[in-house]
Amino acid sequence: MAVAHANVDAIVHLTEDAAKTASAKLRALHRPGKVHIIGNGLDIDFFSPEREGSHAILEGDIVRLGMVARLQPSKDHLTLIDAFDRLCSDRPSLDARLEIAGDGATLPAIEAEIESRGLQSRVTLHGTLGAEGVRDLLRSLDIYVHASLGETMSNSIMQAMAVGLPVIAGAVSGVTNMVTPDVGILYPSRDVHALQSAIAGLLDNPEQARSLGAASRAQAVRLYDARTTARAYEDLADQLFRAKAGM
């Protein structure tokens, strides 16, 4: 990063948090005049709520929660499974499912946790899904839960928001700037009781869940459209070319 700041014309960070972290690490080597913030984008037409016969949040007989992420130590799947298990135990009449998509190093630990809790019939591990598989899975959910210990800018949260889901996520760097109170609920990372409470709160207030889902979609359209991201890079490139040409 220090070499880049010394030699390139522009440095792009996905978020203000990432830029601040780099500045703190580089100190005197940091070149703030070269720094630009351009977030990730996605195809908001592809990642969108279903049109005809759309799945209505918390209106079905089965409640579906889900998370899409690599299975790795920086993702807190075990806390999610713990919270889900406690939720089901506290509400014996609740017919709930937990859908987990992704693959990685922590798969054996996750499988062992599911088995030890006897959740094989309630928790499905989908493995790695393609774009259509991720979209279709998200469309089937009622609530998207992202249990994480830290992010840069979560593509999965963007996708869930674009599909129109209420989001519950750990209050960590790279998430707090995305999940605001009007689109979702933040809980202290690793706090299983807080996560369980957040999920239960939305189950008890379906209208709030639907309102958050609608706001999520609106925010994704406003902030995460890949066409907006592309224009930002085009504008930056134009600015750099003009500077080189002395215009």
Side-chain angles (χ1 to χ4, degrees):
M1 183 68 75
V3 171
H5 272 259
N7 292 281
V8 304
D9 296 307
I11 305 288
V12 175
H13 290 286
L14 299 179
T15 66
E16 291 283 356
D17 285 349
K20 289 177 182 177
T21 298
S23 176
K25 289 182 178 180
L26 291 174
R27 298 183 181 180
L29 299 176
H30 188 255
R31 301 291 184 269
K34 296 183 177 183
V35 173
H36 304 266
I37 309 297
I38 302 177
N40 283 338
L42 76 162
D43 185 341
I44 59 169
D45 298 324
F46 179 82
F47 285 99
S48 62
E50 289 181 294
R51 297 292 185 258
E52 297 297 327
S54 61
H55 168 74
I57 291 172
L58 295 177
E59 285 191 352
D61 295 331
I62 300 174
V63 172
R64 297 188 183 276
L65 313 175
M67 177 173 170
V68 180
R70 290 189 300 274
L71 308 187
Q72 60 185 30
S74 65
K75 312 300 182 186
D76 196 15
H77 289 91
L78 297 186
T79 293
L80 172 56
I81 293 168
D82 189 359
F84 178 75
D85 189 21
R86 291 170 186 264
L87 181 75
C88 293
S89 296
D90 288 351
R91 302 184 178 212
S93 63
L94 176 66
D95 194 356
R97 302 289 188 274
L98 176 58
E99 315 285 348
I100 296 175
D103 200 357
T106 58
L107 175 60
I110 292 169
E111 290 177 325
E113 187 73 8
I114 293 169
E115 184 175 356
S116 70
R117 293 176 179 272
L119 292 172
Q120 297 94 322
S121 64
R122 287 182 176 267
V123 181
T124 301
L125 300 176
H126 293 271
T128 301
L129 299 176
E132 287 190 2
V134 169
R135 180 198 61 191
D136 293 345
L137 176 63
L138 290 172
R139 284 177 171 176
S140 76
L141 300 180
D142 294 289
I143 300 169
Y144 182 77
V145 184
H146 199 78
S148 175
L149 306 180
E151 302 283 342
T152 301
M153 185 177 185
S154 171
N155 286 329
S156 296
I157 290 178
M158 284 197 301
Q159 291 164 352
M161 291 174 64
V163 168
L165 290 174
V167 177
I168 297 174
V172 295
S173 177
V175 172
T176 54
N177 59 307
M178 300 177 69
V179 182
T180 52
D182 56 324
V183 303
I185 299 171
L186 295 171
Y187 70 94
S189 184
R190 296 183 188 271
D191 189 331
V192 64
H193 297 289
L195 176 52
Q196 178 190 353
S197 178
I199 297 170
L202 287 188
L203 297 186
D204 292 336
N205 193 342
E207 286 304 318
Q208 180 191 13
R210 293 173 197 130
S211 176
L212 292 174
S216 285
R217 171 62 183 173
Q219 180 162 305
V221 170
R222 187 173 71 254
L223 298 179
Y224 306 137
D225 188 341
R227 289 165 291 204
T228 301
T229 301
R231 283 193 293 271
Y233 276 105
E234 289 171 351
D235 291 344
L236 175 58
D238 184 62
Q239 174 186 329
L240 295 173
F241 286 136
R242 289 176 176 274
K244 289 288 187 182
M247 298 173 64

